[in-house]
Amino acid sequence: MEFFKVLDIAQVLALREGFGRVASEELALEEALGRILAAEVRAPEDLPPFPRSTVDGFAVRAASTFGASDANPACLSLAGAVAMAEVPRVKVGPGQAVWVATGAMLPDGADSVVMREHAEALDDTSIEVFRSVAPGQNVIAAGEDFAAGAVLAPAGRRLRPQELGALAAFGLLRVRVFRRPVVGILSTGDEIVPAGEAPGPARIRDVNRFSLSGLTLQAGCIPRPLGIVPDRCEALHAACREALAACDAVLISGGSSVGTRDFTVEALQAFPDARILAHGIAISPGKPTILARVGDKAVWGLPGHVASAMIVFARIVRPFLLSLAGLAPGDPEEVRLPARLTRNLASAQGRTDFVRVRLIRRGEGWWAEPVLGKSGLIRTLVHSDGLVEIPAFCEGLDEGAAVEVILF
Amino acid sequence: MEFFKVLDIAQVLALREGFGRVASEELALEEALGRILAAEVRAPEDLPPFPRSTVDGFAVRAASTFGASDANPACLSLAGAVAMAEVPRVKVGPGQAVWVATGAMLPDGADSVVMREHAEALDDTSIEVFRSVAPGQNVIAAGEDFAAGAVLAPAGRRLRPQELGALAAFGLLRVRVFRRPVVGILSTGDEIVPAGEAPGPARIRDVNRFSLSGLTLQAGCIPRPLGIVPDRCEALHAACREALAACDAVLISGGSSVGTRDFTVEALQAFPDARILAHGIAISPGKPTILARVGDKAVWGLPGHVASAMIVFARIVRPFLLSLAGLAPGDPEEVRLPARLTRNLASAQGRTDFVRVRLIRRGEGWWAEPVLGKSGLIRTLVHSDGLVEIPAFCEGLDEGAAVEVILF
């Protein structure tokens, strides 16, 4: 067996760099919400392609309105109107105005639009204007939204509704995105039965298959539950081999007993191109986590306790999956909510502690109420809104201490 | 035409109560992530159904270890071992210990487990214990996670990975959830062409169809884009009739010009059971928003400007859709991120202003950098991470002011 490698969180997360990311595929824009752009997209042309009015009113040369006020309105001659979707047939000269609706194309010669509320028709051919406008006012110039060649969205950006809108504005209805990583999920343990079966005495149902599948989906990946493997090294090795052939990464949960954990390491080391990268992480809960590289794929051995497995996923596995999925580093995916602790929390030095918390609104701010309980209790997660991370060098936090909550 | 009703945000949001919510359906647990529970679920039995060890070690009566220390170990007789998934055949009496692995069923008579690190085998039949344990230590008691009858999750709760896990733990593999509301999306405007077509001069592509569909999906609803309606009252009325027949709510975007806005109201009032609930909202951008009730369904007239439409959706339409979707009030869906402003912001009194912001991390906290620009520019949203809301009574905010960011 290789040297026993207990890493801290930063050391584990740094291992992301050693893994690649999935290939890309082309998708219809309708299907692309939440997907990650595989290549930068630039504006193929100016948006809008022509200057548009942003209000209902009169297209003018701004200079024709300078000095206008209620007491001293500017009188302009009405040279016509531009209908929606019409290329203006009139031009706007000095002292002239042309009616435009919101969104209409600005006529040549005009550089701004007087809102209709600030003007009044005198008769069919002349209007009074009560406010001056500046050049560009109430107009979106050609290319003001995106100029031809401007970056619409960088590679590695997760597509939100606004990116979909921006792509549609250019008629870019197919996008190249990273394909969603497929994550194999194996449960181990002789005491585990499929959730659809009655467990019988001394056995329990497979919970991690569902909680880890849900977390995998939330990370934008495709969970592939691969069933329950008995506590035998050969069985686990065979199951891993199949999982690795079909998936981009593999999660094995269970095996929190020392014997089973050894099976996992043994089963992985039986691959000729396997390397155990982490054998234990200095966190609680979640210490008995294993990370191996088999070929170019990550295989995780997660604790069997449901809360431990979820916490390790949320804080450590998820960043690996996001990186595999092609998300650019620094994308604000992991915004943490500032809050204050409702009570003192003790913590052991030398490891990072995760405390489940419930959020409570008090006046202007959020408070984090620790939800205590053993890491085998799923109830503690059902009653929580997130996690507070207590750094390894810290002996504990006082009531009222400022913390940041990882929401889940 | 009815009286012109400009409401403030609170008045508009209060109108949610007048609308119902969708019916429920039964789903496989695998399909239920993110869905909203239609009925409270209670634990049908104790979880776990039997007491389990949370560590590898020796099941004992705690009293047998009282006073044990490195200097003065307690000597216990080893009465056997419990294999995983095995109903223990041995009992634990005073002075006795039985080997158990993590997750194994606790033998009768034992009330706690000594971690194997804190004990040492003397020979095949006796061990020394170096630490005392308390009753219940390193054990999950029967029903400690959920006692039979305890609430697993209330109605109206959005199902997260941990709720899926908790349901699976009881073999509850089908859940009753609210069906996803279907939201019809209509774009209006003679200048709008489908995004797949070349717009030609003076016309632009339909952007809102994509941005509003994306927002609808993010709200857990099913967007049904219904195309582009010309700027004629009868056409819009007919399109609304079809949309109302097929959908649970309808969004009409476009028509920011006064004429088109009037069409929308007119087209809606032509339904005998229509009521215009809001004709304008005291917000910027987004003032020309219309909310009508036709039968028991909400129809929104959203501004045509892409940024305005998205902002009104994020802050006002979304809470209506979540309520229609069955989400319980108070569910922490809309957590806002506390931040500080990077610069002064002016604001008009008497209306709520929304400012698009980009998040910047500085030291311990988040700063919100305003992304300024006209509400017709989708770029401003692509470059933003969220919105800051400046209340109606406020004349503006200073650099460094504490704000809360609505993330999008």
Side-chain angles (χ1 to χ4, degrees), chain A residues 255-317:
Chain A
S256 283
S257 76
V258 171
T260 330
R261 253 185 289 154
D262 294 345
F263 284 145
T264 305
V265 170
E266 234 181 283
L268 293 173
Q269 284 186 318
F271 291 101
D273 52 355
R275 216 172 137 220
I276 306 296
L277 301 176
H279 191 204
I281 304 180
I283 56 177
S284 174
K287 180 158 186 289
T289 298
I290 294 159
L291 170 60
R293 185 191 172 107
V294 182
D296 58 354
K297 293 176 180 174
V299 181
W300 294 90
L302 299 179
H305 290 154
V306 53
S308 310
M310 283 194 68
I311 288 168
V312 174
F313 187 108
R315 182 62 177 90
I316 299 177
V317 178

Side-chain angles (χ1 to χ4, degrees), chain A residues 47-48 50-54 136 138-142 144-145, chain B residues 374-377:
Chain A
L47 185 75
F50 52 86
R52 302 178 75 198
S53 178
T54 62
N138 299 324
V139 168
I140 295 179
E144 182 175 345
D145 203 345
Chain B
K374 293 161 184 149
S375 58
L377 302 178

Side-chain angles (χ1 to χ4, degrees), chain A residues 122-354:
Chain A
L122 291 174
D123 52 42
D124 284 356
T125 60
S126 55
I127 63 165
E128 279 187 334
V129 169
F130 306 104
R131 297 259 185 104
S132 66
V133 286
Q137 197 169 338
N138 299 324
V139 168
I140 295 179
E144 182 175 345
D145 203 345
F146 285 99
V151 174
L152 272 186
R157 162 76 58 89
R158 198 185 284 285
L159 295 172
R160 299 171 297 168
Q162 50 265 58
E163 278 84 23
L164 301 189
L167 290 162
F170 293 100
L172 301 170
L173 299 192
R174 296 193 68 79
V175 274
R176 185 149 284 279
V177 296
F178 289 109
R179 94 180 151 65
R180 295 167 68 198
V182 176
V183 179
I185 297 173
L186 284 167
S187 302
T188 68
D190 286 339
E191 81 281 24
I192 307 292
V193 304
E197 293 178 12
R203 296 174 192 262
I204 58 159
R205 294 189 181 87
D206 183 8
V207 171
N208 288 333
R209 169 206 166 114
F210 288 87
S211 52
L212 295 176
S213 288
L215 289 166
T216 299
L217 265 177
Q218 283 185 333
C221 302
I222 300 170
R224 184 160 300 170
L226 296 168
I228 300 166
V229 188
D231 282 336
R232 285 182 301 109
C233 182
E234 312 73 48
L236 187 53
H237 181 73
C240 279
R241 179 185 302 281
E242 279 185 45
L244 283 162
C247 305
D248 300 300
V250 178
L251 308 179
I252 304 164
S253 80
S256 283
S257 76
V258 171
T260 330
R261 253 185 289 154
D262 294 345
F263 284 145
T264 305
V265 170
E266 234 181 283
L268 293 173
Q269 284 186 318
F271 291 101
D273 52 355
R275 216 172 137 220
I276 306 296
L277 301 176
H279 191 204
I281 304 180
I283 56 177
S284 174
K287 180 158 186 289
T289 298
I290 294 159
L291 170 60
R293 185 191 172 107
V294 182
D296 58 354
K297 293 176 180 174
V299 181
W300 294 90
L302 299 179
H305 290 154
V306 53
S308 310
M310 283 194 68
I311 288 168
V312 174
F313 187 108
R315 182 62 177 90
I316 299 177
V317 178
R318 182 177 153 90
F320 276 81
L321 294 185
L322 294 178
S323 170
L324 177 64
L327 193 74
D331 207 274
E333 284 281 310
E334 303 293 355
V335 167
R336 297 177 178 197
L337 184 72
R340 293 185 174 281
L341 275 185
T342 60
R343 44 165 284 179
N344 296 342
L345 272 181
S347 171
Q349 272 189 292
R351 70 174 193 212
T352 304
D353 278 344
F354 290 97

Side-chain angles (χ1 to χ4, degrees), chain A residues 30 56 145 209 258 379, chain B residues 30 56 145 209 258 379:
Chain A
E30 262 106 347
D56 294 344
D145 203 345
R209 169 206 166 114
V258 171
R379 163 170 57 82
Chain B
E30 262 106 347
D56 294 343
D145 202 347
R209 170 204 164 115
V258 171
R379 164 171 55 83

Side-chain angles (χ1 to χ4, degrees), chain A residues 61-69 72-74 76 111-112 129 131-135:
Chain A
R61 295 188 177 196
S64 308
T65 68
F66 290 169
S69 68
N72 184 26
L76 304 185
D111 61 9
S112 51
V129 169
R131 297 259 185 104
S132 66
V133 286

Side-chain angles (χ1 to χ4, degrees), chain A residues 360-407:
Chain A
I360 301 170
R361 185 82 184 183
R362 284 193 196 156
E364 289 293 287
W366 288 102
W367 288 73
E369 164 97 343
V371 176
L372 302 176
K374 294 162 184 151
S375 58
L377 301 178
I378 193 161
R379 163 170 57 82
T380 59
L381 291 164
V382 169
H383 293 166
S384 297
D385 300 307
L387 295 176
V388 164
E389 180 171 338
I390 306 180
F393 56 79
C394 179
E395 279 180 61
L397 294 169
D398 292 333
E399 180 185 330
V403 293
E404 293 200 312
V405 179
I406 304 168
L407 300 173

